[in-house]
Amino acid sequence: VGARVPSINEMPINDKLFIIQSDIIKKAAAEGPCVIIGRCADYILREHENCLNVFVHADKAARIKRIVGLNYCEEKKAPDFVTKKDKQRAGWDDLQNYDLTIDTSRFSVDIAVDLIIDAAKKLDQ
């Protein structure tokens, strides 16, 4: 007896959300150049030939300074906030999933943007 495949209405909400996001990401990539931040786009677009996967990271001190400077979090709560985000993002740092990694504790965001644009242009050559 074969297993019954659940309908989308029977799926957990996280699975439904992933399917919807996957469809949106695939559609955006099919329509032309686009930038997708997160959302497992490296996995969803793994068969898309003209895709540049970038991992932007920084050390904890730099991330704390950045979120406090942008008023995302109070200074005293920032270390716990960053630790919580790190736990949520565990496993994202498998470098085999990325073509380019940039440490923004060493390079400014503007320089990181320039590096990504340069790499994307060279990808087309």
Side-chain angles (χ1 to χ4, degrees):
V1 178
R4 188 175 80 77
V5 177
S7 73
I8 194 159
N9 291 330
E10 297 170 324
M11 290 181 171
I13 191 73
N14 287 342
D15 292 348
K16 290 179 192 178
L17 182 60
F18 180 77
I19 290 169
I20 292 166
Q21 289 176 342
S22 295
D23 291 343
I24 292 168
I25 289 168
K26 288 176 184 176
K27 183 179 180 197
E31 290 178 0
C34 59
V35 175
I36 301 162
I37 300 172
R39 306 287 157 233
C40 299
D42 60 318
Y43 175 77
I44 294 165
L45 297 175
R46 66 192 176 279
E47 295 175 10
H48 198 277
E49 289 181 17
N50 197 20
C51 189
L52 177 66
N53 294 307
V54 180
F55 183 64
V56 180
H57 57 97
D59 63 35
K60 189 171 183 175
R63 289 181 288 145
I64 289 170
K65 181 179 177 182
R66 180 168 168 77
I67 65 171
V68 169
L70 293 171
N71 293 317
Y72 288 158
C73 191
E74 295 174 30
E75 189 169 0
K76 65 182 179 180
K77 294 182 180 180
D80 289 338
F81 179 83
V82 170
T83 298
K84 181 180 177 185
K85 286 295 180 187
D86 286 348
K87 287 178 184 175
Q88 291 172 347
R89 296 174 177 163
W92 284 15
D93 57 356
D94 183 353
L95 300 182
Q96 293 181 9
N97 295 334
Y98 304 99
D99 303 306
L100 177 66
T101 67
I102 301 173
D103 183 348
T104 56
S105 57
R106 298 201 56 196
F107 298 100
S108 70
V109 171
D110 289 337
I111 291 173
V113 168
D114 290 343
L115 291 169
I116 294 167
I117 291 169
D118 257 6
K121 287 177 181 176
K122 290 180 178 16
L123 188 67
D124 289 336
Q125 295 177 352

